[in-house]
Amino acid sequence: MLHMTPEFLRALKRIASEVILEPERLAVYEADGLTAKKQRPGVVVIPETTGQVQRITALCHEHQVPLVARGAGTGLSGGAMPHHEGVLLVMAKFNQVLAVNERALTAVVQPGVTNLAITHAVEDIGLYYAPDPSSQIACTIGGNVAENSGGVHCLKYGLTVHNVKEIKVVLPDGELVTIGGPGFDTPGYDLLALMHGSEGMLGIVVEVTVQLLPQPPEVAVLMAAFSEVDQAANCVADIIASGVLPAGLEMMDKLAIEAAEAFIGAGYPTDAQALLLCELDGTSTGLQILIEKVLGVMRGSGAIDVQVATDAEQRAKLWQGRKAAFPAVGRIAPDYYCMDGTIPRRELSSVLSSISSLSNKYSLAVANVFHAGDGNLHPLILYDANDNDQLERAEAFGSAILQLCIDKGGTITGEHGVGVEKINEMCIQFDSLELEIFHGIKAAFDPVGILNPGKAVPTLSRCAEFGAMHVHVGEEKFPELDRF
Amino acid sequence: MLEVKDISARVAAATSPLRIVGGDTKRRYGHVDESLELLEMAGHAGILDYHPAELVVRVRAGTPVTELVDTLAKENQVLAFEPPVHGEASTIGGVISAGLSGSRRPYAGAARDHVLGAGVVLFDGEYREFGGQVMKNVAGYDVSRLICGAYGTLGVVADVSLKVLPAPEREVSLALEMPLIEAQSLVESLTRRVSPLSASAYAAGVLSLRLSGLESDVADEQLAIGGEIIDDVYWRQLDSLASFQGASQIWRLSTHALAPVEHDYDRMDWGFAQRWLVDPATAPTSSQGHWTCISNTSPSFGSMSLLEQKLHRNLKQVFDPNGIFNPGRLGEGVA
């Protein structure tokens, strides 16, 4: 990697009008949603056109300068953390919904459009965009593609990868390629799937065509409170086993319930040890059948309190506590560290009990708020970042949770991505043979290695240092590549 | 019984290219070099892990599709992408490697949408696992979806983990005689709102529809649509291309539902987004979408840009640097 020369910076200013070099303005961009990892960017560029993105990328390619793309910076794994000697490409000005095709049920949007803005643009004609990460009011669709974002409704409606038909991508050498198309498939490899969740390592998304869905005619939210965590966890499995596929199925533990209740007052029973929120949708007759079925399962699982909300206002109130759970937990501790492991549903109760033991071991409280239907956990570890010892314990605790998820046949990240945060744990989940393939894929798109260096896939030497993987001398593939 | 270690040994020892086959029921898809040494996967069969409440099944590639579908049916579950069965010998590894989906595709997603993980044997004979058995997993690049539809050109799929779903409570298939324009408009109106529509096909002036879902929803919709009830087996036959048996060239256009109807198609399904021509006098062209020719003698996949071709070659080089897996299957200069 070369440094940003004065010549490089002059060329950059010729391409884009908004180039930021002042330290106090650069500071704004030093972290994404993972604020524990900070780095001041070398320079921030805010392009306005695809042509500018192509020229900036080609320039970085020519000068071998690192390039990190950033949407709204809401990511929780440090995927958009800048490079101190590189360019941070801020896609904020790509904020237009370009077209809505009401008959084809698609919308063409620029990558800086927020997730929720897509739904706002089409709700008057009875449509919506299904994936709904909790940051949907601020997070952008470009970032959603990069992270393959999920959300509350992905149990039934899928992740970002299931709801995007076509993307336009600037490759690391500045070339523009269209991936996917208006039909249901394209010839050759599924590059559309490969780009989803690639964390800005393979290309920069400059346009996205999303699939829209008709709004369900009727929606209900069921809340069930339990006096035992085990009962709630088993209820999740029983609902799925009953043949009902809820639109969303969320769980909160006692600490999360209390924090949310103190913050929002959603009407959750604070004496409960665990709470389930189950969203069902369908036609009016169909919905009644589903509600009865799920209520039966909830009561059979030992729920001590059950509520059903069918009108929009009541539903919003029940959801409000869940949606505000993160900031609510933020009020009861100076800092929290949000994990994202996913496990098979049948392990829910044993993993929750292990997390509780780990909480004692590390002397840090943990609140659990998560997508129970998908087995996607979000333990929030409470700590005080001003206390170095607590920060270290929080990180060790988090790492132990991820190890636990892998041991139970799960994964270290369900929807937040690896970024810089979980790079060491990648060495546990994958061995050197698999990591080599990841490095190969990266090199197939980005042989020079300018895009988002150091993220998502650890180098083999890093894993060797981390101690989780043995690297045989001479086994490393693509030795010609720089490993960041 | 063929074990992973046997597959690994075969691949590691290979000095010339291999043709990977399951039931060898898709030899009309892409360029097949009959002279290559066979790597037969049918012996690597059986279900590895199935917990119905997890909505996941992990299965060896050589397992017959019908066996897998029957096993799931006993638990009242389905593969929602409705794998086409091109013959009794058809294996799940073949369906996933070819990335083929059936009639439910527009309404429930494609094969790749249901792939959660895969175990693959690559160029060096080593077995690697990508993805997993959980619903959400964004650790590492999505290799398990990449191998879906790669026709074995990247590696040998040894096992796959697939998302399964509860079977619909009720299904009914209907046939309605109507002009094309009315059929298009009916399908569009059913797609525009939440409806139990789960399959649609138009051929010879007849629109066939399938409704799947809750008993009451299906009954209400059936009453509104009318038509004559037909056997659900219609869709399995349609997906297997049985009615095109004997054709020397089956041309498939993948486009979008609203694309202009530019040919006298033998059938249009997937809500008019998939269109078929059997033995046309000349190779068909279209203003929108891409054509695949399914044929023993002159198979082809749709064309791609030079840039896409380059990305394909680069990826092929990563997974199969020695060029031993189904070389040329996707076409000259691609993979």
Side-chain angles (χ1 to χ4, degrees), chain A residues 125 185 190 283 345-346, chain B residues 54 112 192 217 252 254:
Chain A
I125 51 173
D185 45 46
D190 198 333
T283 59
R345 268 182 297 265
R346 63 182 177 281
Chain B
E54 295 290 333
R112 66 92 132 153
R192 185 62 176 77
D217 289 346
R252 167 188 184 263
S254 175

Side-chain angles (χ1 to χ4, degrees), chain A residues 289-405:
Chain A
I289 295 165
L290 295 178
I291 291 173
E292 287 310 315
K293 204 165 177 174
V294 173
L295 282 179
V297 173
M298 285 172 160
R299 292 199 180 100
S301 306
I304 48 170
D305 183 13
V306 176
Q307 293 177 29
V308 181
T310 45
D311 76 66
E313 199 180 324
Q314 285 176 308
R315 291 200 317 262
K317 195 176 168 208
L318 281 183
W319 270 126
Q320 209 172 21
R322 164 63 184 89
K323 289 191 169 168
F326 285 23
V329 168
R331 291 170 74 236
I332 59 173
D335 299 277
Y336 67 80
Y337 186 31
C338 174
M339 309 308 296
D340 179 42
T342 302
I343 52 165
R345 268 182 297 265
R346 63 182 177 281
E347 303 288 356
L348 267 181
S349 121
S350 91
V351 167
L352 289 174
S353 133
S354 300
I355 290 176
S356 163
S357 310
L358 287 169
S359 166
N360 292 330
K361 180 181 165 188
Y362 290 99
S363 304
L364 291 173
V366 61
N368 283 291
V369 185
F370 56 93
H371 310 303
D374 308 301
N376 185 195
L377 309 173
H378 288 324
L380 304 173
I381 301 169
L382 277 49
Y383 72 104
D384 181 350
N386 290 323
D387 176 346
N388 268 336
D389 179 54
Q390 283 201 33
L391 176 60
E392 274 172 35
R393 273 187 284 140
E395 290 188 341
F397 186 1
S399 196
I401 292 175
L402 296 185
Q403 175 78 57
L404 180 64
C405 292

